[in-house]
Each structure stands twice: as C-alpha cells, then as structure tokens.
Amino acid sequence: MFPLKRNRRLRTNEAIRSLVRETIITPNDFLVPLFIVEGKGVKEEITSMPNYYRYSLDLLENEVKELWSLGLKSVLLFVKVPDNLKDNKGLEALNPNGLMQRAIKTVKNVCPGMLVMTDVALDPYSAYGHDGIIENGKILNDKTVDVLSEMSVSHAQAGADFVAPSDMMDGRILSIREALEDEGFTDTGIMSYSAKYASAFYGPFRDALDSAPVDLINIPKDKKTYQMDYTNRFEAIRETEMDIDEGADIVMVKPGLCYLDIVREIKNDVDVPVAVYQVSGEYAMLKAAAEKGWLEHDAVMMEQITAIKRAGADIIASYFAKDVVKILNT
C-alpha cells in the first residue's frame, strides 16, 4: 500500500520546518568565557583562537556592555596570571585585590545584572600548570581542596554569583559549599565541572592562559591522574551524582561534541541544570577549516551548537556565543 503518511510534508518549506522545530537556540542558552589580563588598553588576540581575545579590565567593560546589548547575560571569567605571581600553592588566588577579584567587581560595576561565574582551579596560579598542589610528584587532593574553598569564598566576597570548580579534585564541592555557608554566602551557587575529561582538545585554552603542565622530572606531564579517562562512560554518572549530593547547583560536561553521549546520559539521570563546555579545540578546528575554505563557518557552527543543546544541554559555554547571537538577531 502506498504510504498515507509522508514525513516530508513537515519539511516542505521554512515556515513549516520552523513551526515543528524541536530545538531552538536563543541568547539565554549561553555562558560566555572571558579571558582577563593585567594592563590597560589590552585586547590581545589568542593566536590559536582566531577572533578571540584577552582583555584588560578597562576594555573588559566595553566587552561586557556589548554582550549585554546582544542579550548575553552570563559570563565565565578566567585570568592570565603573571609568571612572577605563580607558585605551588596558589597564594595569589586568595589575594582580595587579585586580578580575578578585580575582574568580578569590574563586571558587576559596569553591568550589575550580568551573571558572573568564576573559574576555581589552581592551574592559572601554578608554577607547574596543574590544578593542584604538587608534592613528591603527586597532586595533593585534600590540601588543594582547602585552597579551592578559600578561593571560592574570596570570589563570593568580590561579588561572584556562581563559582565554577574546574579542578576535578575529590570532595571539593562539599568543602566549597560548607565554606560558602560558613561565611554567609548561602545564595552563591556552584557550577561543578563534574564530568571533565582528560582531553586533547584543551590546547588553545592553555595557550590563552599560559597554563599548560610543565615538562619537568617528578612533575606529572598531563592531568590524567585527576581528570577523567575519555574511554569511560558510567564514571561520569558517578562523578555527577556525587557532586549533586555534595551541593552542586549546576553540573557540567567538558568537552562538548565528542561527549554528547555523556551529556544525554547525565541529562536523563539528574534533575539539575546541565552545562556543556564547547572547548577551545572545537572552536579552533572550525576556525581553521573555515579559513581554508573547507567548511562553511556559520552553517557548521549553528549545527554544532544545536547538536549540543539537542543532546540535553541547558547551558552552553562557548566561544561562538557572540557569533551565534549575531546571526540570531539578524
């Protein structure tokens, strides 16, 4: 019998396709990563991330105003720490007048309504490029967690709405939550990098912050002892459930495109918002391919972003956020 049901009827033209479209991208989906440096009048393009920049605090003001005007209401702050302030204990991370603390205040002063999330990890402050304190060739979990908790309180004191621990130390969410509660920051949220894999896609990010692990004797050459093995699936569920039990308000999967199966697994399992970080390597690959003329930049970008949301992301941290929203606003 000739088919009575023709699915193509719902694809006939753009009007019907848009009417039945299941996944809709809006500016409200995005968390915008921002890289901050010392100085004045600084807007440095990151070589391995074309059209993405490090900003000094004075030019950060302009960038935040532009984001707000585009309908982008949330930022995730990272700082590039001068080498002379790096050590093995992250002491500069606790400086109430440090670059991160000043960046938080800058964003809140220029745009009080902007949601400010902050990176909580030691790698930007570490002389060794690791997310933890190192002794005898090992990353010390518990001593690192103590510093991360103090760092989180410092960010909350500066005005951060959410802290975002990206370190993958065990037990840090509970410790941070307790530290925030003890200091009266009951409304400060935690977005945990719950399923963060030891990925090869992070290279350009480490260029942006000069935070790659150093290659020295008795120092781990990579982050595989604390970030997740990319072959594992069920471990991501365990990590995420533990973080929620410890007090995480939002959980994250990082990277994005190669881990959409993990995104869907977690989305199906939990009842808190799920964030996805479309990382620097994903950004750089598309930029490079488009520059060569091998891919149509905007079409591939929109397809990638849609795939991330379709997989279950409630929040997308992406370097493409401005590009996407400019397309949406045309």
Side-chain angles (χ1 to χ4, degrees):
M1 180 178 179
F2 200 79
L4 299 178
K5 180 67 176 177
R6 293 178 183 268
N7 294 326
R8 290 177 58 191
R9 294 179 190 131
L10 300 181
R11 305 171 193 152
T12 304
N13 53 49
E14 177 58 23
I16 187 61
R17 290 193 297 270
S18 62
L19 193 64
V20 300
R21 191 160 287 146
E22 299 174 26
T23 305
I24 307 297
I25 305 297
T26 79
N28 293 328
D29 293 317
F30 291 101
L31 175 61
V32 184
L34 293 174
F35 298 119
I36 317 302
V37 293
E38 294 283 9
K40 288 188 176 181
V42 179
K43 182 180 178 181
E44 303 176 324
E45 185 176 35
I46 301 162
T47 303
S48 53
M49 298 177 66
N51 301 319
Y52 220 81
Y53 301 88
R54 306 179 191 93
Y55 297 95
S56 56
L57 294 178
D58 54 330
L59 296 190
L60 174 63
E61 295 183 4
N62 299 332
E63 181 66 11
V64 169
K65 289 177 182 177
E66 181 182 358
L67 294 176
W68 188 261
S69 72
L70 292 170
L72 293 162
K73 304 171 185 175
S74 305
V75 296
L76 177 58
L77 302 182
F78 299 91
V79 293
K80 186 176 186 294
V81 179
D83 287 344
N84 65 305
L85 296 178
K86 296 181 180 182
D87 57 27
N88 188 34
K89 296 183 177 179
L91 293 179
E92 177 60 19
L94 308 180
N95 179 358
N97 197 39
L99 182 57
M100 176 64 84
Q101 289 78 356
R102 285 180 282 133
I104 296 166
K105 293 174 183 177
T106 297
V107 176
K108 282 298 186 181
N109 286 340
V110 72
C111 189
M114 183 70 78
L115 185 80
V116 175
M117 297 192 182
T118 58
D119 180 53
V120 173
L122 292 191
D123 52 329
Y125 302 91
S126 170
Y128 304 118
H130 274 283
D131 294 334
I133 297 168
I134 299 176
E135 286 185 13
N136 299 320
K138 293 184 178 180
I139 310 296
L140 300 186
N141 190 95
D142 295 0
K143 287 186 178 181
T144 298
V145 167
D146 289 341
V147 178
L148 298 176
S149 300
E150 291 184 62
M151 189 190 311
S152 297
V153 170
S154 179
H155 292 183
Q157 289 170 336
D161 299 291
F162 273 74
V163 293
S166 62
D167 56 285
M168 290 299 286
M169 299 296 123
D170 293 325
R172 88 274 204 214
I173 301 303
L174 178 59
S175 180
I176 290 170
R177 185 72 267 163
E178 290 178 341
L180 291 170
E181 297 288 322
D182 288 345
E183 294 298 324
F185 294 106
T186 57
D187 292 332
T188 303
I190 300 175
M191 180 179 72
S192 175
Y193 288 58
S194 298
K196 181 178 180 180
Y197 286 84
S199 171
F201 283 89
Y202 301 149
F205 176 92
R206 292 170 181 168
D207 291 343
L209 294 185
D210 187 24
S211 61
V214 299
D215 188 6
L216 294 174
I217 297 174
N218 293 327
I219 301 294
K221 295 187 175 84
D222 54 45
K223 301 188 178 186
K224 293 181 180 180
T225 63
Y226 48 98
Q227 293 179 357
M228 286 179 53
D229 187 327
Y230 65 76
T231 65
N232 291 353
R233 170 184 168 197
F234 296 113
E235 183 184 6
I237 304 297
R238 293 198 301 272
E239 288 275 6
T240 302
E241 290 176 343
M242 289 172 66
D243 283 356
I244 293 170
D245 289 343
E246 292 180 18
D249 302 286
I250 301 169
V251 295
M252 178 187 279
V253 176
K254 182 181 181 181
L257 291 174
C258 289
Y259 299 85
L260 296 186
D261 59 323
I262 306 301
V263 177
R264 176 44 60 185
E265 291 270 8
I266 289 174
K267 182 64 176 177
N268 288 344
D269 187 72
V270 307
D271 58 1
V272 302
V274 176
V276 174
Y277 203 135
Q278 187 183 29
V279 299
S280 59
E282 298 170 72
Y283 175 88
M285 286 193 303
L286 177 51
K287 290 294 184 183
E291 184 179 337
K292 289 284 189 180
W294 295 340
L295 290 174
E296 184 181 343
H297 180 277
D298 290 354
V300 174
M301 174 182 70
M302 295 303 296
E303 188 172 343
Q304 289 181 346
I305 292 291
T306 302
I308 292 171
K309 185 171 182 181
R310 189 183 65 234
D314 301 291
I315 301 165
I316 304 172
S318 176
Y319 306 105
F320 288 118
K322 279 174 66 175
D323 292 340
V324 171
V325 170
K326 286 176 181 178
I327 290 173
L328 297 177
N329 289 343
T330 57

